[in-house]
């Protein structure tokens, strides 16, 4: 919410400069830069929050899978093996 307040303030200041017909290009550029910086901070905070949420969900899913990760039934019978394909035509010769 602190970021939101900074963005709102920067936006109001930029609007004031836009309304002033005598405002210099540098004044507008400075207000635009301030607004962009404030917006970027908000974007960073949103990105960090999304990453934290995704990590929490991944941990929750990993923990649930890890607790029930015992082999039973058909999974316990799986065997890793190598094989060679035999061409049926060559086999008859």
């Amino acid at each position: 919410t602190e970021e939101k307040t900074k963005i709102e303030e920067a936006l109001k200041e930029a609007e004031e400069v836009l309304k002033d017909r005598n405002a210099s290009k540098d004044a507008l550029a400075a207000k635009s830069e301030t607004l962009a910086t404030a917006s970027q901070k908000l974007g960073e905070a949103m990105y960090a929050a999304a990453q934290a949420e995704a990590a929490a969900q991944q941990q929750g899913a990993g923990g649930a899978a890890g607790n029930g990760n015992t082999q039973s039934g058909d999974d316990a019978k799986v065997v890793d093996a190598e094989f060679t394909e035999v061409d049926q035509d060559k086999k008859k010769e």
Side-chain angles (χ1 to χ4, degrees), residues 1-14 30-46:
T1 58
E2 180 183 334
E3 303 300 332
K4 181 181 175 184
T5 304
K6 287 181 181 179
I7 291 172
E8 289 173 347
E9 290 174 7
L11 184 59
K12 285 179 186 177
E13 291 174 6
K31 296 301 179 185
S32 177
E33 181 68 28
T34 302
L35 180 59
T37 301
S39 298
Q40 185 177 6
K41 296 280 186 192
L42 179 62
E44 289 172 1
M46 291 172 58

Side-chain angles (χ1 to χ4, degrees), residues 10-24:
L11 184 59
K12 285 179 186 177
E13 291 174 6
E15 287 174 346
E16 289 174 11
V17 172
L18 282 173
K19 290 178 185 177
D20 183 7
R21 297 204 182 266
N22 296 325
S24 69

Side-chain angles (χ1 to χ4, degrees), residues 23-91:
S24 69
K25 180 180 176 183
D26 292 337
L28 182 57
K31 296 301 179 185
S32 177
E33 181 68 28
T34 302
L35 180 59
T37 301
S39 298
Q40 185 177 6
K41 296 280 186 192
L42 179 62
E44 289 172 1
M46 291 172 58
Y47 181 77
Q51 291 295 320
E53 183 179 333
Q57 287 178 352
Q58 192 174 27
Q59 269 187 335
N67 291 339
N69 195 14
T70 57
Q71 290 186 351
S72 62
D74 292 334
D75 289 339
K77 298 177 186 175
V78 174
V79 176
D80 186 22
E82 292 184 18
F83 69 95
T84 304
E85 247 183 79
V86 177
D87 189 3
Q88 293 297 328
D89 293 334
K90 289 184 178 180
K91 190 176 179 183

